């Protein structure tokens, strides 16, 4: 009998992990191929936000495209992963851009990042594990 080692996280747990901000990844399609790009992000109760420069992420993000966003973490107890799906958009209102621009967590990446991208959370899910459950002899794959 196989031991279950991954647990689904509640919406509340997912939101809490997501709101911590930091480093995440945006999954987009470029020329019908999957592309995953790192971003420094912040999250609100209903959105993920990140700044980007003109280019691949921006081009794919502002065409009203459904994108995937993922962030994860490890600690002494185990690990977790949270995924967001949503239809991305560029934030145009300067007062919103100015509000988010001053956050140190969004200004970590080098270069000029003038475009604020918002991913409204349309789907939120997550999984977690403990090191103890992982090492009880269970296998992630059959």
């Amino acid at each position: 009998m196989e031991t279950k080692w991954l647990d689904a996280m509640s919406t509340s747990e997912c939101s809490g992990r997501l709101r911590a901000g930091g480093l995440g990844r945006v999954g987009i399609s470029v020329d019908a191929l999957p592309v995953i790009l790192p971003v420094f992000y912040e999250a609100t109760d209903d959105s993920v936000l990140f700044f980007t420069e003109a280019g691949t992420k921006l081009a794919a993000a502002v065409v009203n495209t459904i994108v995937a966003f993922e962030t994860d973490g490890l600690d002494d107890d185990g690990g977790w992963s949270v995924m967001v799906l949503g239809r991305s958009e560029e934030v145009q209102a300067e007062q919103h851009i100015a509000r988010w621009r001053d956050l140190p967590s969004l200004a970590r990446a080098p270069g000029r990042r003038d475009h604020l991208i918002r991913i409204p959370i349309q789907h939120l899910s997550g999984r977690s594990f403990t090191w103890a459950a992982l090492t009880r002899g269970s296998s992630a794959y059959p």
Side-chain angles (χ1 to χ4, degrees):
M1 184 165 106
E2 191 167 338
T3 304
K4 179 180 168 196
W5 65 278
L6 278 176
D7 292 312
M9 293 168 51
S10 70
T11 300
S12 176
E13 289 173 302
C14 291
S15 293
R17 296 285 189 177
L18 190 62
R19 279 194 306 270
L23 182 63
R25 287 154 295 286
V26 177
I28 59 178
S29 179
V30 176
D31 298 327
L33 296 172
V35 176
I36 299 170
L37 300 163
V39 294
F40 287 103
Y41 80 96
E42 284 289 332
T44 65
D45 287 340
D46 65 353
S47 301
V48 171
L49 298 126
F50 63 93
F51 278 97
T52 188
E53 56 194 8
T56 305
K57 283 181 279 201
L58 178 64
V62 297
V63 292
N64 203 26
T65 302
I66 300 230
V67 300
F69 174 84
E70 189 269 346
T71 187
D72 51 39
L74 294 172
D75 60 27
D76 290 340
D77 297 323
W80 55 271
S81 176
V82 172
M83 184 182 70
V84 168
L85 298 176
R87 191 172 296 278
S88 61
E89 60 192 23
E90 183 173 8
V91 176
Q92 299 290 333
E94 190 55 44
Q95 70 269 23
H96 295 300
I97 295 169
R99 175 181 163 213
W100 291 102
R101 183 177 310 285
D102 293 334
L103 293 176
S105 59
L106 291 179
R108 291 181 185 161
R112 185 174 173 97
R113 291 172 169 30
D114 293 328
H115 302 276
L116 179 60
I117 305 301
R118 176 179 176 259
I119 306 170
I121 299 171
Q122 295 173 311
H123 175 79
L124 178 64
S125 63
R127 294 182 180 199
S128 64
F129 69 90
T130 64
W131 295 115
L134 184 63
T135 58
R136 279 196 287 263
S138 64
S139 172
Y141 307 99

